[in-house]
Amino acid sequence: MWLGGRVWLQVFGRVCFNLRRLTFDRTWGGRRGPMAETLSTRAEAASGLGAPAQQNGDAGGYARGEQPPGRPEPAGPGVEPAPGDATQAAGSGEQAATVGPGPGKRKKRRGATGERVVPPPKKRRAGVSFGDEHFAETSYYFEGGLRKDNDFLRNTVHRHEPPVTAEPVRLLAENEDVVVVDKPSSIPVHPCGRFRHNTVIFILGKEHQLKELHPLHRLDRLTSGVLMFAKTAAVSERIHEQVRDRQLEKEYVCRVEGEFPAEEVTCKEPILVVSYKVGVCRVDPRGKPCETVFQRLSYNGHSSVVRCRPLTGRTHQIRVHLQFLGHPILNDPIYNSIAWGPSRGRGGHIPKTDEELLRDLVAEHQAKQSLDVLDLCEGDLSPGLPDSTAPSSELGKDCLGELAASAQKMDGAVEAGPQDLDTVPLASGKATEIDVVDQETDPLCAECRLVRQDPLPQDLVMFLHALCYKGPDFEYFSPMPAWAQDDWQED
C-alpha cells in the first residue's frame, strides 16, 4: 500500500511538472530561458526520473565540451554572446532558436554555436584614386600625336581601351587644398565605360604622384578646360556646399555653326535624358529646368565663337541648348548629327521617337567606327539597345547617302577571322601590317576581330572648352584654345 502510494505520488508530481512546463513554454512562445532550464533540470533530478547523460548528447545531460544551459560559451574573434538567447532543453541535439531583435535593433546573423556574429563596420571610402600596383599595370607610349595603351588591357574583364589625345594634362594651380588642371579633350575624368588607364585621375596619379583626389565637378569626355580636384574630403565638402548655394560660376567657350546673334541670348528650355547608357539628352517639357546665357565673341563668315554661362548643371546642357537654338557646336558628334532629322533638332523638332533616334545615332557611329564616342563597344549592342544595323525609315535616302559617304571618308575597320590574326592589313590600303602574335585575343570578343585605324588627333577634339571656374575665394582660368582664335581657319 505504501509502495503504491509512493508510485502514485511520483506520477502525480511528474504530471504537474509537465503541465507547468507546458504553460511556461506557451507563455514564452516555445522558448525557454536559462532559468527555466535550470529549474527543469533540478526538478527532474529531484524526482529521480532524469535520464543518464549519453556520450553523444542525444538525450539528457550534455555532450563532451558542451556548456550547460545558463552558461555562455566563450566568444571567438568577431563573435559576441547573445544575452537572453534561449537554448533547448537538456540535450535536444538541435540548434537553438533565436529571439528576434526588438525595435530599433539591427538583426544579427546566428553562428553555428548559437551565438550572434557581429559584422565589422563598413570602411568609409576615401577619394577616388589608385595604388602603386595599379600604376604598374601599364606603360604609355606615344605615336602619331596619340597617347596609346596598346590595343587592349589584360584585366579581370576583357576589354579594349580606345586611344586618346597625347596632349598633356597641364597643372594650372596646386596648393594644400586643391589641384587645378587643364584637361585635354577626349580624356574622361575618372574610370568609366571602356576607359581606365587613359583617364585624368589615373594620369595624375601615375605621372604627377597626385593621389586620393576628390573631383569637385565634372567635364564631358570630349570637353576640355579647367578641372578642379580637392585634396581632402573636408575641402570637397566645403566647395560642394558652395555649389549647392549657387556661389560658383563657370564660363565656357565654343565654336558653333553659322552666325550666332550678336545680342545676348538666354535659353531656359528643360532638358530630358533620353538614354543614360548611350548618353543622349534633348529638350522636352518633361525635363528638368535649366538655364544658359550665351554671348557671341566673334564670327569668321562660317562659324561663331560663343561664350557660355550655364546657371544650372544639367547633362550636356550647353550642347543641347545650342542645338535647340539652331547653332550646334561645329564638330559635336552627337548633337550635330544627321540622325536628328533634316533640321538636326533645331527648335526641338525631332521627327522620330526616342527609340528611332537612338537607333539612328548608334547606326551612324557604328558606320563611322566611332562607337567609343557614345562610350559603347560592339558587345553593348545586343540587349537593351536598339538594333543598330537597321536605321529607321525616317532617316531618309539623302541622310543614308550622307552617312555612307562620311563613313567612306574615314579609314574603316576590317574584320578578321581567328586564323587571320597573325598579320592583318589595314583598311586604308597602307602597306603597314599589325603583328598580333604577342597579343592576347579572345575568340568570343567581337572587338578582337576588328582592326581599327587610329583616329587623327584633331578627330578627338570637340570645340567646347571650360574657360573659367570661380568661387567666393578662388578663380582659375585656362588658355583660350587655338580653334577659338579670331584668325582660325577651318580645314
Side-chain angles (χ1 to χ4, degrees):
M1 182 68 180
W2 179 82
L3 182 60
R6 181 180 178 184
V7 173
W8 183 86
L9 286 174
Q10 288 181 350
V11 172
F12 180 78
R14 181 64 175 174
V15 170
C16 291
F17 176 79
N18 287 338
L19 289 175
R20 286 166 48 199
R21 184 169 62 179
L22 179 62
T23 303
F24 183 85
D25 288 348
R26 289 180 176 177
T27 303
W28 294 96
R31 297 175 174 84
R32 305 172 64 200
M35 183 61 70
E37 298 292 349
T38 304
L39 293 175
S40 173
T41 305
R42 290 179 179 175
E44 289 183 359
S47 64
L49 297 178
Q54 299 182 7
Q55 291 189 8
N56 62 5
D58 287 340
Y62 303 96
R64 185 181 309 168
E66 192 173 357
Q67 294 288 332
R71 297 184 183 179
E73 295 183 5
V79 179
E80 68 175 19
D85 278 7
T87 56
Q88 290 291 341
S92 66
E94 298 179 1
Q95 183 176 346
T98 311
V99 179
K105 295 183 178 180
R106 187 175 58 183
K107 187 176 181 180
K108 305 287 194 305
R109 179 172 59 85
R110 289 295 302 271
T113 59
E115 297 172 340
R116 292 185 294 181
V117 178
V118 180
K122 293 184 177 180
K123 184 178 179 181
R124 186 175 182 180
R125 185 178 179 183
V128 179
S129 185
F130 294 91
D132 292 336
E133 69 277 7
H134 296 114
F135 297 128
E137 291 176 353
T138 185
S139 59
Y140 295 110
Y141 72 94
F142 302 88
E143 179 182 341
L146 298 175
R147 178 194 294 268
K148 303 178 67 175
D149 188 33
N150 215 325
D151 289 331
F152 60 86
L153 306 176
R154 175 180 294 177
N155 210 326
T156 54
V157 177
H158 179 85
R159 60 185 179 186
H160 298 250
E161 186 160 348
V164 298
T165 179
E167 285 290 320
V169 180
R170 297 183 178 89
L171 294 180
L172 297 176
E174 181 184 0
N175 54 41
E176 60 183 6
D177 292 333
V178 299
V179 175
V180 186
V181 303
D182 189 359
K183 181 186 101 62
S185 182
S186 80
I187 304 181
V189 176
H190 48 71
C192 58
R194 306 172 66 193
F195 295 89
R196 176 180 173 87
H197 298 148
N198 290 334
T199 60
V200 176
I201 285 282
F202 197 96
I203 294 172
L204 287 178
K206 187 176 180 67
E207 298 183 355
H208 298 276
Q209 290 72 50
L210 293 170
K211 307 174 184 178
E212 302 293 333
L213 299 178
H214 304 256
L216 295 175
H217 61 105
R218 63 179 299 273
L219 294 177
D220 294 339
R221 184 169 66 84
L222 296 177
T223 304
S224 58
V226 177
L227 181 63
M228 291 183 61
F229 298 90
K231 288 188 173 181
T232 65
V235 174
S236 175
E237 178 59 30
R238 187 187 75 212
I239 296 183
H240 278 111
E241 185 69 26
Q242 295 174 355
V243 173
R244 289 188 288 268
D245 293 342
R246 302 287 183 92
Q247 298 182 31
L248 301 185
E249 297 181 26
K250 294 180 286 185
E251 287 188 10
Y252 293 76
V253 63
C254 62
R255 182 171 286 276
V256 303
E257 280 195 352
E259 184 178 2
F260 197 86
E263 66 277 5
E264 185 177 271
V265 176
T266 300
C267 185
K268 297 183 180 181
E269 297 296 328
I271 292 179
L272 177 72
V273 177
V274 177
S275 170
Y276 287 98
K277 185 169 186 177
V278 181
V280 177
C281 304
R282 64 177 174 84
V283 167
D284 191 282
R286 299 170 297 170
K288 294 182 179 180
C290 50
E291 183 176 357
T292 314
V293 179
F294 300 99
Q295 179 64 59
R296 192 182 80 187
L297 299 180
S298 64
Y299 172 61
N300 66 0
H302 301 282
S303 58
S304 304
V305 176
V306 178
R307 174 180 279 120
C308 318
R309 290 192 299 112
L311 305 184
T312 51
R314 307 303 180 196
T315 302
H316 295 178
Q317 175 176 324
I318 294 175
R319 299 163 66 182
V320 174
H321 276 174
L322 286 170
Q323 180 198 46
F324 179 86
L325 295 174
H327 298 278
I329 293 175
L330 196 61
N331 58 351
D332 193 323
I334 296 179
Y335 299 101
N336 196 5
S337 164
I338 59 175
W340 295 85
S343 62
R344 304 201 178 194
R346 180 171 187 169
H349 179 64
I350 307 170
K352 57 183 67 177
T353 65
D354 289 348
E355 291 74 15
E356 291 172 337
L357 172 63
L358 292 175
R359 182 166 61 243
D360 292 344
L361 278 171
V362 172
E364 177 182 359
H365 287 279
Q366 191 177 28
K368 293 180 179 179
Q369 302 298 334
S370 59
L371 284 173
D372 55 285
V373 171
L374 303 175
D375 289 332
L376 298 175
C377 59
E378 299 291 340
D380 294 330
L381 298 181
S382 46
L385 280 179
D387 181 8
S388 61
T389 61
S392 69
S393 59
E394 295 190 28
L395 198 58
K397 293 182 179 180
D398 295 338
C399 294
L400 285 173
E402 184 178 346
L403 175 59
S406 62
Q408 290 176 358
K409 291 180 181 179
M410 300 190 63
D411 291 328
V414 297
E415 182 170 354
Q419 71 276 8
D420 300 327
L421 285 176
D422 290 337
T423 54
V424 181
L426 295 178
S428 60
K430 298 178 182 178
T432 308
E433 293 184 347
I434 297 179
D435 184 6
V436 294
V437 174
D438 296 330
Q439 297 179 358
E440 180 182 349
T441 59
D442 185 347
L444 301 180
C445 176
E447 291 287 309
C448 282
R449 296 193 297 271
L450 294 176
V451 179
R452 301 182 185 276
Q453 177 69 25
D454 282 337
L456 297 174
Q458 57 265 31
D459 295 334
L460 300 177
V461 177
M462 185 177 70
F463 298 156
L464 177 61
H465 181 80
L467 190 64
C468 174
Y469 200 77
K470 57 185 175 181
D473 53 355
F474 64 85
E475 186 171 5
Y476 299 105
F477 289 89
S478 64
M480 189 78 80
W483 49 259
Q485 304 298 328
D486 293 342
D487 58 350
W488 180 82
Q489 297 295 325
E490 302 177 28
D491 296 334

